[in-house]
Amino acid sequence: MNGHEKEKIIRHYIKSNIFGVAAYGGLLVCIIVFSIVPPFFGESIWTITKLSTLISDVIVMALMSVGAIFVYTLGYMDISIGKQVGLYATLMVIIGNKTGTLLWGILLSLVISLFIGLINGATGEVLKIHPIVSSVVIMMVLGGVSSIMYNNLGSRNISLKTIDYRIFKNPIFMLIVLITELIIITYLFNFTKLGKYAKAIGANPIVAQQSGINLIKYKIICYLIMGLCVVVASIFQMGYTGSASDSTGTGFEMNVMIALILGGMPLSGGMRSKVSYAIIGAFTLSLLNIGLPLIGVKPNQVYIIKAIIFIIVVLITCRKSKGMLPR
Amino acid sequence: MPKIERNATKIGGYITLKRKYTVFEKIIGTLALPVTMYLIMMIACYANGKMYYGTWPMWKTVLVDIAVSTTCALGIGLQFKSGRFDFSGGSIMLLAAIIAGTVSKNNGNNKVIFAALCLGICLALSLVVSLVYVYGRLPIIIATIGMALLYEAITTLIYNGAGINLVSNMQLKVFSSYPLALFPFIGGLITYIIYSHFTITGKQAMLLAHNQQVAVNIGINEKRNVIISYIFSGIIFGFATMIYASQGLHRAAFSSLSTVGSLFSNILPVFIGLMVGKYCGDTLGIIVGATTLSLMSYGLTTVFDAEMGSAISTIITGIFILAINVISAQGKVLTSIFKNKLKATK
């Protein structure tokens, strides 16, 4: 093989894997920059404390983003995630304080998440409405329920009283849970018909249905998986401080969306979807959160740098080169 | 010969499928929702001893709510009915509110400067969004999320991230009080009507929404159309910002995409408007939607305390949206079931 052919192959590889290349490249650049620059400011990202902060910052977002990958692969998004996290965390604290264990709160949260997954997954197909509408409705209902609960409690913030929740602050335990979830989701996504069908539905639902795929069944399963992952994320969200408030989970749905887009996930879903996008996006976003203040960036300047990086990344990964304007 | 339905029309040998409504049906279809909501809330309030429901002071409060809700909804609806789901509206309004409010406060609370800045800044920010979308060639959701993040980030930088507070500023607060709140409301309405019914761009936007490929193939300049549509939605957002900014305290957006919440709360009148639009057109439909939701919100906060009323209002609004979308999507199926049952009983 001569040099010209090699160059052609490399060009073709980069062109066909532009999403992955840009996303992995972005993470790599972040790691390199935040490894080299902070020592000039007398800081380092490679200390136990900073790595623990990074893990605790990334854990909730990564757990949710990995779970959401199935739903985003369908070409949908769920904007009720934040309110779900808020409700589950609140229930875990309230029931935990009454029973002395987190188990019942977690079980109730699981039941609710399955119910929500069922509604979100089925309404689109059965009632012929866009699934984002059902997730808006669930967001509003859960938001209202949460407000009523805190109104009745007479407080905006509640804490665990007797339960020992230190385990949820342990970075090693966080990593173990994240890796376990990642392995399970990767297996389901890449090695079972569930993942293949989800991608097929995202790519073209009509063709998928014509091919004999049961749309309702697989959409519901995708939402159920995301629901379960949201419950796991809620445990860590609540467990990190041992408390919940009426603002717990606010904006999480948008953070998940930003992480996935930053990771290279196409919002239209389909065949180009990968689990790795969720992890890359979540880690890149958390690295920016942790790393930028270490190189002398003021907290309120972090937002604009993140926004500019986001725009640059999407201009590289999501730009449509020709034809009509994308919708 | 196929039997032609009573309400089907025959034009140039073709049977059009659009159902024609009588004037009576149009009036009933338009007023059913707000009147029903008004009566339900009136009964609930009177049953709880709140006899001021329906009085002129109540209407003054509701009118301001309708004004802000309708103008926001018109701005969002203008893009939404063109098939573009814009996430940046809330951040445009917040950034414009902070700049216009602060500059006006520093210039002797000048109302004209405030109104002009609201309009000018919203127009400029909206225009930038359209340029990023058109020349960045990004999917609309991603482009508008990116710009929303950028504008929100700017709110944390300008004026030390202090936001804007016009709660006690009686001069600028007039825009969120009756009767001056009607000025931005009417301004937004006229802009929307001019765009939708009296501009070529508005008509072409409808073609693009219905079939983008065909519209482009027949020679419509999509880029130009999008940019002009964003200029109009920017002006409407400018009118909405006049009321929104003077309504109270607006903090800088320290949480990513926190302004998108205002989008989702103001998109509800658009949903209702598009459904009721078949009786009265989408402009009046959006006003009907905003009126219905404002009446419900006012009634519930009257019956319960403010926080509880707001929570219950949110839940009912959520269920309301679901019902409207289901009826809208299943309308024909439900009608045919109803007709079949009627036939069976006969």
Side-chain angles (χ1 to χ4, degrees):
Chain A
M1 194 186 297
N2 60 30
H4 182 69
E5 279 176 342
K6 264 187 190 174
E7 196 184 317
K8 209 174 167 185
I9 290 169
I10 291 168
R11 261 192 206 168
H12 176 73
Y13 177 81
I14 291 174
K15 206 175 174 184
S16 56
N17 292 282
I18 185 73
F19 292 88
V21 171
Y24 279 102
L27 180 60
L28 200 64
V29 167
C30 281
I31 292 171
I32 293 168
V33 169
F34 294 131
S35 299
I36 295 170
V37 185
F40 293 108
F41 292 84
E43 297 273 7
S44 173
I45 202 163
W46 299 108
T47 61
I48 300 289
T49 323
K50 291 293 176 215
L51 287 175
S52 299
T53 314
L54 176 70
I55 296 298
S56 53
D57 191 79
V58 82
I59 184 79
V60 174
M61 207 193 319
L63 286 170
M64 286 189 301
S65 306
V66 170
I69 206 84
F70 276 100
V71 171
Y72 277 78
T73 300
L74 294 174
Y76 301 152
M77 58 177 80
D78 186 346
I79 58 163
S80 67
I81 293 176
K83 295 293 176 198
Q84 286 189 50
V85 171
L87 181 71
Y88 301 152
T90 306
L91 287 175
M92 284 174 208
V93 174
I94 293 174
I95 298 172
N97 283 338
K98 284 200 174 156
T99 60
T101 171
L102 287 175
L103 181 70
W104 300 113
I106 293 170
L107 284 177
L108 181 60
S109 301
L110 282 172
V111 172
I112 296 172
S113 79
L114 293 178
F115 181 65
I116 290 173
L118 192 68
I119 294 173
N120 270 335
T123 44
E125 272 310 304
V126 177
L127 300 176
K128 302 292 175 208
I129 57 173
H130 198 286
I132 200 168
V133 173
S134 59
S135 79
V136 169
V137 172
I138 286 171
M139 178 187 77
M140 298 183 82
V141 171
L142 295 186
V145 169
S146 185
S147 294
I148 292 170
M149 281 167 76
Y150 281 98
N151 197 39
N152 288 336
L153 287 168
S155 166
R156 291 186 179 279
N157 198 316
I158 47 171
S159 308
L160 285 174
K161 286 170 187 161
T162 53
I163 299 170
D164 183 8
Y165 56 87
R166 276 175 300 177
I167 182 80
F168 300 114
K169 294 164 86 171
N170 185 336
I172 307 289
F173 181 65
M174 287 179 186
L175 266 182
I176 291 169
V177 173
L178 180 58
I179 291 167
T180 310
E181 184 183 295
L182 192 59
I183 291 169
I184 294 169
I185 297 291
T186 306
Y187 172 75
L188 290 174
F189 197 74
N190 293 336
F191 302 104
T192 66
K193 63 180 179 183
L194 172 63
K196 284 170 191 144
Y197 287 177
K199 282 184 244 182
I201 295 169
N204 193 327
I206 296 165
V207 173
Q209 194 172 30
Q210 298 283 326
S211 313
I213 297 173
N214 186 336
L215 294 192
I216 297 181
K217 182 182 164 186
Y218 286 99
K219 281 182 183 177
I220 289 174
I221 295 172
C222 289
Y223 274 97
L224 291 181
I225 290 170
M226 192 189 70
L228 297 178
C229 294
V230 170
V231 173
V232 178
S234 308
I235 298 170
F236 282 93
Q237 176 62 33
M238 181 278 304
Y240 193 66
T241 54
S243 64
S245 73
D246 59 352
S247 61
T248 300
T250 305
F252 279 19
E253 61 279 352
M254 293 300 157
N255 288 340
V256 168
M257 199 193 293
I258 294 167
L260 286 170
I261 295 171
L262 211 53
M265 180 78 186
L267 281 186
S268 53
M271 294 300 176
R272 283 195 280 115
S273 311
K274 283 179 185 172
V275 181
S276 60
Y277 293 156
I279 285 290
I280 291 168
F283 269 93
T284 309
L285 212 54
S286 291
L287 259 175
L288 290 171
N289 284 336
I290 307 293
L292 287 172
L294 296 182
I295 56 172
V297 177
K298 288 178 188 167
N300 61 341
Q301 293 170 341
V302 171
Y303 297 101
I304 198 148
I305 294 174
K306 274 164 58 177
I308 291 168
I309 290 173
F310 179 87
I311 292 172
I312 293 169
V313 169
V314 295
L315 278 172
I316 297 168
T317 57
C318 304
R319 185 178 160 81
K320 193 183 167 194
S321 56
K322 53 188 172 183
M324 296 175 300
L325 289 175
R327 289 276 168 92
Chain B
M1 279 284 285
K3 193 186 167 190
I4 300 170
E5 290 281 327
R6 182 173 62 92
N7 288 309
T9 46
K10 203 174 176 186
I11 301 166
Y14 294 98
I15 301 163
T16 62
L17 295 173
K18 195 175 180 184
R19 185 172 175 336
K20 267 194 166 181
Y21 295 99
T22 62
V23 176
F24 180 72
E25 282 175 326
K26 281 180 180 176
I27 293 170
I28 294 291
T30 308
L31 294 178
L33 270 176
V35 170
T36 310
M37 187 60 77
Y38 177 78
L39 292 175
I40 290 170
M41 286 302 145
M42 192 170 74
I43 292 165
C45 288
Y46 284 8
N48 284 279
K50 315 281 167 129
M51 307 306 282
Y52 54 88
Y53 193 89
T55 59
W56 178 235
M58 168 226 147
W59 277 111
K60 283 207 281 190
T61 312
V62 171
L63 273 173
V64 174
D65 280 349
I66 293 170
V68 70
S69 186
T70 306
T71 40
C72 288
L74 289 174
I76 299 161
L78 193 141
Q79 298 301 334
F80 188 74
K81 72 172 188 174
S82 300
R84 291 186 287 270
F85 206 46
D86 189 342
F87 279 68
S88 66
S91 62
I92 288 174
M93 283 171 61
L94 179 65
L95 184 54
I98 291 171
I99 299 172
T102 312
V103 172
S104 308
K105 260 169 84 175
N106 296 340
N107 284 283
N109 297 317
N110 190 315
K111 293 184 199 73
V112 180
I113 291 179
F114 177 71
L117 280 175
C118 285
L119 286 171
I121 296 166
C122 283
L123 196 153
L125 296 175
S126 213
L127 189 63
V128 174
V129 172
S130 71
L131 294 176
V132 169
Y133 170 56
V134 166
Y135 293 104
R137 302 191 64 83
L138 297 169
I140 188 70
I141 292 179
I142 295 176
T144 53
I145 284 177
M147 292 314 291
L149 285 171
L150 189 69
Y151 292 157
E152 285 179 350
I154 296 171
T155 66
T156 67
L157 290 175
I158 53 168
Y159 309 116
N160 293 319
I164 183 69
N165 187 357
L166 298 179
V167 173
S168 55
N169 190 321
M170 298 317 288
Q171 281 120 312
L172 295 181
K173 225 182 157 199
V174 288
F175 285 109
S176 63
S177 319
Y178 183 85
L180 218 60
L182 294 179
F183 162 66
F185 171 64
I186 293 168
L189 211 58
I190 290 172
T191 312
Y192 186 85
I193 291 169
I194 288 173
Y195 172 79
S196 302
H197 302 287
F198 299 103
T199 62
I200 295 169
T201 313
K203 311 264 184 201
Q204 289 178 341
M206 285 176 75
L207 286 172
L208 281 163
H210 282 110
N211 196 327
Q212 194 184 7
Q213 182 70 67
V214 171
V216 170
N217 287 351
I218 60 169
I220 292 174
N221 186 336
E222 196 183 10
K223 287 181 181 176
R224 188 169 161 268
N225 189 280
V226 169
I227 292 169
I228 293 172
S229 81
Y230 267 89
I231 289 172
F232 275 93
S233 64
I235 294 170
I236 296 172
F237 279 133
F239 283 118
T241 307
M242 287 181 208
I243 314 175
Y244 166 80
S246 55
Q247 262 184 333
L249 170 67
H250 298 291
R251 291 192 174 87
F254 284 99
S255 170
S256 294
L257 297 185
S258 55
T259 54
V260 176
S262 56
L263 169 104
F264 285 119
S265 59
N266 284 312
I267 205 161
L268 315 183
V270 181
F271 284 148
I272 299 174
L274 293 177
M275 193 192 81
V276 180
K278 60 187 172 188
Y279 299 108
C280 56
D282 57 344
T283 316
L284 195 54
I286 289 173
I287 300 174
V288 164
T291 308
T292 308
L293 295 172
S294 297
L295 285 170
M296 184 181 75
S297 177
Y298 187 90
L300 288 171
T301 45
T302 306
V303 174
F304 303 96
D305 65 274
E307 203 170 337
M308 191 65 113
S310 166
I312 295 170
S313 172
T314 311
I315 295 173
I316 294 176
T317 310
I319 296 165
F320 200 49
I321 298 169
L322 184 68
I324 283 167
N325 274 278
V326 171
I327 292 167
S328 176
Q330 304 280 336
K332 283 176 189 168
V333 180
L334 293 173
T335 314
S336 64
I337 292 169
F338 185 68
K339 277 182 180 171
N340 288 342
K341 278 196 176 174
L342 269 180
K343 272 182 192 170
T345 48
K346 277 176 187 173

